[in-house]
Amino acid sequence: MHKVKPGIILFVILFGLWLLLAGADRDELIVAAAASLVISVLFAGRASALGSVRLHPKAIAYAVIFFFVFLKELVHSTIDVAGRLLSPRLPINPGIVKVRTRLKSPLGRIILANTITLTPGTMTIETKGEYYYIHWIDIRTEDIDSSTEAIVAKFEKYLEVIFG
Amino acid sequence: MIQIIGAVISLVGSMFIFLGALGVVRMPDVYNRMQAGTKATTLGSMLTLIGIGIVLPGWLGKLLLLVVFIIITNPISSHALARAAHHAGIKLTEKSVRDNLKEDYPKEDDNG
């Protein structure tokens, strides 16, 4: 059972990749489906990290919401950092803070760390187990809990449902 | 009309990339420079590519794929660079408030 779900997700990813690259020509689609099927059956065992993705409807809905939350944060913080850059005094307050995550699965942690890095103003420098060390361009908090609340919580509550 | 919309989106994207370049010049240390230099490409190149995709709809699928690959690879490379810089013992700027990583693992950083 634990090989079936990674296989299905791998198949969907490969097939979607083909659709975006080659378009939807009917004869080619059959070849693409066959090739994706062979690859996903062969490599399902090695893609076990994908097994932590949950596929029930709530998780899928949260994945969609997560995408839009990420876009909103991306735009918001890009404008924030751009404003700091253009200001003559360069009002930055940088440093490295430690935060804690509640996520358990490796894939969930990787995606959380990468989301934090992609958002301007914060950058994951090191991960040690459940702790992340994050370079933050404008530190507003004092201790680990309030830093976690400010950086991690807004993404974590969605990833928690998607990955557990 | 659609060409103008696409061109405006591309222009906004290239403005963010320009701001990133400005950040590399203005920021005081490696980590802040890296923030400016790598993060600008996130929204900047996303908007630039999507703008091109709106002007040339036939390319939209491939350009979205490029955006996905940038989203996947960009954080990994910037994380690896920043981590390497910290392990090599490069100091944070004087303006920095604190460095929890150095406090928790002082030995590792001194080794270089």
Side-chain angles (χ1 to χ4, degrees):
Chain A
M1 180 57 209
H2 64 281
K3 274 190 182 180
V4 175
K5 196 160 69 171
I8 292 170
I9 297 169
L10 202 57
F11 177 79
V12 171
I13 293 174
L14 288 169
F15 197 64
L17 205 65
W18 179 280
L19 275 181
L20 280 175
L21 265 177
D25 182 80
R26 200 176 64 98
D27 293 343
E28 287 180 359
L29 276 189
I30 296 168
V31 179
S36 308
L37 195 66
V38 170
I39 295 173
S40 51
V41 166
L42 283 178
F43 289 95
R46 297 199 190 177
S48 56
L50 289 173
S52 56
V53 180
R54 291 179 187 162
L55 288 179
H56 58 80
K58 196 187 174 197
I60 293 169
Y62 267 57
V64 175
I65 300 171
F66 173 72
F67 179 71
F68 285 104
V69 168
F70 166 65
L71 280 187
K72 178 181 148 274
E73 281 301 319
L74 185 62
V75 172
H76 184 258
S77 55
T78 302
I79 291 170
D80 178 65
V81 172
R84 288 171 200 283
L85 270 174
L86 291 172
S87 157
R89 284 187 303 107
L90 201 64
I92 57 171
N93 202 15
I96 297 177
V97 296
K98 185 180 185 180
V99 299
R100 189 194 297 116
T101 175
R102 294 196 303 265
L103 298 179
K104 295 284 182 288
S105 71
L107 186 65
R109 283 181 180 171
I110 288 170
I111 291 189
L112 179 63
N114 282 356
T115 311
I116 292 168
T117 307
L118 267 172
T119 316
T122 52
M123 176 164 64
T124 315
I125 288 192
E126 181 70 287
T127 64
K128 302 261 183 198
E130 60 176 358
Y131 295 105
Y132 292 161
Y133 294 88
I134 291 176
H135 184 267
W136 195 3
I137 214 165
D138 176 41
I139 294 183
R140 290 185 293 261
T141 55
E142 288 302 319
D143 60 343
I144 175 167
D145 288 326
S146 51
S147 305
T148 305
E149 186 61 34
I151 299 177
V152 179
K154 59 197 173 200
F155 299 127
E156 194 178 46
K157 64 183 177 199
Y158 299 105
L159 289 173
E160 208 169 29
V161 179
I162 303 168
F163 296 105
Chain B
M1 187 60 202
I2 200 122
Q3 297 220 328
I4 296 171
I5 296 171
V8 168
I9 292 175
S10 281
L11 183 69
V12 173
S14 51
M15 267 168 56
F16 280 121
I17 295 179
F18 166 74
L19 285 174
L22 189 70
V24 173
V25 178
R26 287 201 72 193
M27 287 299 191
D29 71 346
V30 171
Y31 305 98
N32 288 308
R33 284 194 175 126
M34 212 176 284
Q35 292 258 20
T38 59
K39 303 316 163 49
T41 55
T42 326
L43 195 58
S45 56
M46 270 170 73
L47 286 177
T48 312
L49 291 171
I50 290 169
I52 296 170
I54 289 172
V55 175
L56 303 167
W59 288 77
L60 193 58
K62 293 187 180 72
L63 292 165
L64 284 178
L65 205 59
L66 274 180
V67 170
V68 171
F69 281 129
I70 286 173
I71 286 182
I72 294 172
T73 55
N74 179 9
I76 295 171
S77 60
S78 53
H79 157 74
L81 284 169
R83 187 169 180 271
H86 203 278
H87 276 266
I90 296 174
K91 299 268 185 302
L92 274 73
T93 174
E94 301 291 314
K95 286 170 110 177
S96 296
V97 181
R98 64 178 185 275
D99 186 350
N100 282 149
L101 182 54
K102 189 140 191 141
E103 284 162 21
D104 288 3
Y105 300 93
K107 272 273 174 58
E108 247 172 64
D109 292 328
D110 291 339
N111 290 337

